[in-house]
Amino acid sequence: MTDIKVDLRQVKSFLTDNQLDTYRKKVADTFKTIYSRSGAGNDFLGWVDLPSSITPEFIKDIKTKAEELRRKSEVFVVVGIGGSYLGARAVIEALSNHFSTMVNTGNPVIVYAGHNMSEDYMHDLLKLLDEKDYSMTVISKSGTTTEPAVAFRILKNHIEKKYGKDEARTRIVAITDKAKGALKVLSDSEGYKTYVVPDDVGGRYSVLTPVGLLPIAVAGVDIEKLVAGAQLMEKYCMDNQNDSNVAAQYAVARQALYHNGKATEILVNYEPRLCYFSEWWKQLYGESEGKDGKGIFPASVTFTTDLHSMGQYIQEGVRNLIETVISVENPANEIRIPSDEANLDQMNYIAGRRLNEVNRTAEKATILAHVDGGVPNIRIAVPGIDAKVLGQLIYFFEMGCALSGYMLEVNPFDQPGVEAYKKNMFALLGKPGYEELREKLLKR
Ligand code: PA5
């Protein structure tokens, strides 16, 4: 059984049984489409049995390399963008000390590059790397993405100057296609340790490949537990290809709500450690469903923080919202609110209670207020946040996304729309072969 529970009680008043049934009836066939690999994008279904295909030898190899990098690094740089960065960051931030850049956790501090083009960001990173011992991984499935390629060019230059070419080579790991792309060619010629991104796993589904596993292991997270969680969920989905399946319940609720005017889904957490999990989720769902003029727009908030900024809109703005709460039942630590003799802030009525009780109460109060304000609520409950639960959540959201995308009748595994800005950028930068487009764009 899975640790994930999906609570749809606060969805029901927004939908009739018939509306839910329309999508419930599609579940068995949609599972069949996935497992028989007969749907659109079926050459990108490698994620379906990825967890169970991970061998102990493979985990050992990743852990050995990670340990070697950990020993020589105060800082570890992950160079990548989109699916080649968000999964690792989601897991690392969810399982790290909130102040890991400022306290000694015994782990290297993980920093990121190649996920933006900011000159000031790169400047500050280089200054940091002047002072710290570091190593890095460069991750690009295609091996040709501009942002990580530019960042790696700069960082390769820096690391080779700092350590010399031979030592630098031992501090760089490339994760890319098995045969093609500029990064593969470069890695082979430089002799970098390389890991392969499988052909049949798209970027946003790649967190359980070396793309995610290597940086996550360098950060000190137990990747065996993460993979075990995903394996558990993989088996659960395989064994429960019906509408009682939690991933199917989530997909059904989303599609029923979308077809009843709810076009924006806000993923809500009450644990700031989940901020980047939401960023990963936004890419997964946005890139998978947002096409052919269709799809729910994925957004995210961290409560109670954002109740003081976005709460007004959610309560009373345009009524096209869905809230999906990742509800974490037990934090890892316990803090009680102290009593205060003067009680000037009038908080003594909650003295002695756990902070988590207040957090959980805020969650319940907010769900009910937002439901009363016209925002249906899907509650995804987990007992706590650890590597095993995260592994389950990753697979849960991946399967939920594939089911939901197929129910929406889109190809959940392509992303043709991301090319448009790239072509314009290449043309405006003067890349050979883009002269005609450049002329057109300069006239606008
Ligand atoms: O999901 C995707 O395919 C994208 O987000 C890619 O992961 C992202 O564009 C990076 O691509 P690449 O790994 O080829 O550099």
Side-chain angles (χ1 to χ4, degrees):
M1 267 298 122
T2 161
D3 285 319
I4 300 171
K5 293 193 179 67
V6 172
D7 176 356
L8 297 180
R9 281 173 303 171
Q10 304 303 337
V11 161
K12 296 216 166 109
S13 61
F14 296 86
L15 295 167
T16 64
D17 275 348
N18 273 350
Q19 286 168 331
L20 273 170
D21 275 348
T22 306
Y23 296 93
R24 276 197 196 113
K25 283 184 193 146
K26 293 181 192 271
V27 167
D29 281 349
T30 311
F31 269 121
K32 208 177 285 167
T33 303
I34 293 169
Y35 287 114
S36 65
R37 291 170 152 73
S38 56
N42 55 13
D43 43 348
F44 284 98
L45 285 170
W47 59 272
V48 173
D49 53 9
L50 176 65
S52 60
S53 72
I54 296 173
T55 61
E57 293 71 36
F58 175 75
I59 298 257
K60 192 168 167 224
D61 180 48
I62 296 257
K63 280 170 87 169
T64 304
K65 187 68 202 172
E67 200 42 55
E68 186 191 314
L69 296 167
R70 282 166 59 80
R71 271 199 301 273
K72 52 168 91 178
S73 314
E74 294 169 278
V75 170
F76 185 68
V77 190
V78 178
V79 184
I81 195 165
S84 289
Y85 133 82
L86 280 168
R89 191 163 190 175
V91 175
I92 291 167
E93 301 222 348
L95 298 177
S96 299
N97 183 298
H98 291 87
F99 305 101
S100 56
T101 54
M102 284 177 274
V103 291
N104 186 1
T105 61
N107 296 310
V109 173
I110 312 295
V111 298
Y112 302 87
H115 60 308
N116 63 51
M117 298 281 229
S118 163
E119 195 159 333
D120 285 344
Y121 183 96
M122 183 54 83
H123 169 269
D124 291 355
L125 177 59
L126 292 174
K127 292 284 269 185
L128 173 79
L129 299 178
D130 281 343
E131 288 163 20
K132 303 282 181 190
D133 266 323
Y134 78 101
S135 54
M136 66 174 149
T137 182
V138 51
I139 309 173
S140 178
K141 186 178 181 198
S142 64
T144 56
T145 306
T146 307
E147 291 91 336
V150 169
F152 184 59
R153 186 182 269 232
I154 295 167
L155 291 168
K156 178 175 181 288
N157 197 34
H158 185 276
I159 204 168
E160 286 177 354
K161 277 200 184 126
K162 181 164 174 147
Y163 295 103
K165 237 178 169 327
D166 285 346
E167 173 62 17
R169 193 172 286 134
T170 70
R171 291 174 177 265
I172 297 171
V173 175
I175 304 177
T176 188
D177 186 85
K178 67 176 184 309
K180 60 180 193 304
L183 181 56
K184 173 67 183 160
V185 175
L186 177 72
S187 305
D188 286 350
S189 75
E190 295 283 357
Y192 300 149
K193 165 85 176 166
T194 56
Y195 288 101
V196 170
V197 191
D199 283 342
D200 57 356
V201 180
R204 57 190 177 274
Y205 291 84
S206 69
V207 52
L208 298 170
T209 72
V211 171
L213 294 180
L214 180 77
I216 291 168
V218 173
V221 172
D222 186 341
I223 57 170
E224 263 158 312
K225 281 202 182 130
L226 184 78
V227 169
Q231 286 171 343
L232 190 154
M233 196 66 201
E234 177 191 332
K235 181 168 180 345
Y236 164 86
C237 284
M238 180 61 107
D239 293 347
N240 295 276
Q241 297 176 42
N242 56 57
D243 63 17
S244 73
N245 180 302
V246 285
Q249 288 179 37
Y250 176 50
V252 164
R254 296 179 85 248
Q255 285 306 311
L257 290 165
Y258 173 66
H259 287 93
N260 284 281
K262 305 295 185 190
T264 299
E265 180 181 11
I266 306 172
L267 191 69
V268 181
N269 69 72
Y270 286 77
E271 295 291 343
R273 60 172 67 248
L274 291 177
C275 274
Y276 266 88
F277 194 82
S278 296
E279 296 303 316
W280 170 81
W281 171 88
K282 283 196 276 195
Q283 185 196 355
L284 181 62
Y285 280 76
E287 222 168 54
S288 299
E289 289 192 326
K291 53 197 68 162
D292 307 338
K294 300 193 266 193
I296 298 176
F297 181 80
S300 65
V301 290
T302 293
F303 287 167
T304 61
T305 311
D306 294 330
L307 284 171
H308 298 259
S309 56
M310 298 299 288
Q312 171 60 38
Y313 190 102
I314 297 170
Q315 189 70 45
E316 296 182 346
V318 179
R319 300 298 73 191
N320 66 348
L321 305 178
I322 306 166
E323 277 189 319
T324 296
V325 175
I326 300 185
S327 181
V328 181
E329 278 158 13
N330 296 300
N333 302 291
E334 183 175 326
I335 306 263
R336 286 186 189 271
I337 299 165
S339 177
D340 184 86
E341 210 175 307
N343 194 27
L344 293 176
D345 57 11
Q346 300 187 352
M347 290 291 162
N348 271 355
Y349 79 103
I350 47 172
R353 297 208 216 166
R354 284 185 64 181
L355 202 46
N356 188 50
E357 186 188 337
V358 183
N359 204 20
R360 297 273 64 76
T361 308
E363 178 186 314
K364 172 130 202 185
T366 305
I367 289 174
L368 295 178
H370 290 179
V371 166
D372 288 347
V375 181
N377 191 285
I378 301 170
R379 187 169 156 271
I380 296 171
V382 290
I385 292 294
D386 59 22
K388 194 162 176 211
V389 166
L390 273 182
Q392 292 177 65
L393 274 176
I394 286 167
Y395 196 91
F396 163 85
F397 279 117
E398 288 178 348
M399 183 55 84
C401 186
L403 289 165
S404 185
Y406 277 146
M407 286 179 195
L408 186 63
E409 297 178 359
V410 297
N411 176 352
F413 306 113
D414 67 358
Q415 56 284 330
V418 299
E419 296 309 314
Y421 98 90
K422 290 184 192 169
K423 281 189 200 140
N424 286 354
M425 181 176 74
F426 295 151
L428 291 170
L429 284 170
K431 188 171 179 176
Y434 289 80
E435 293 77 6
E436 207 179 307
L437 178 58
R438 178 179 163 81
E439 259 176 52
K440 277 190 197 148
L441 292 175
L442 287 177
K443 283 191 194 129
R444 286 172 63 186

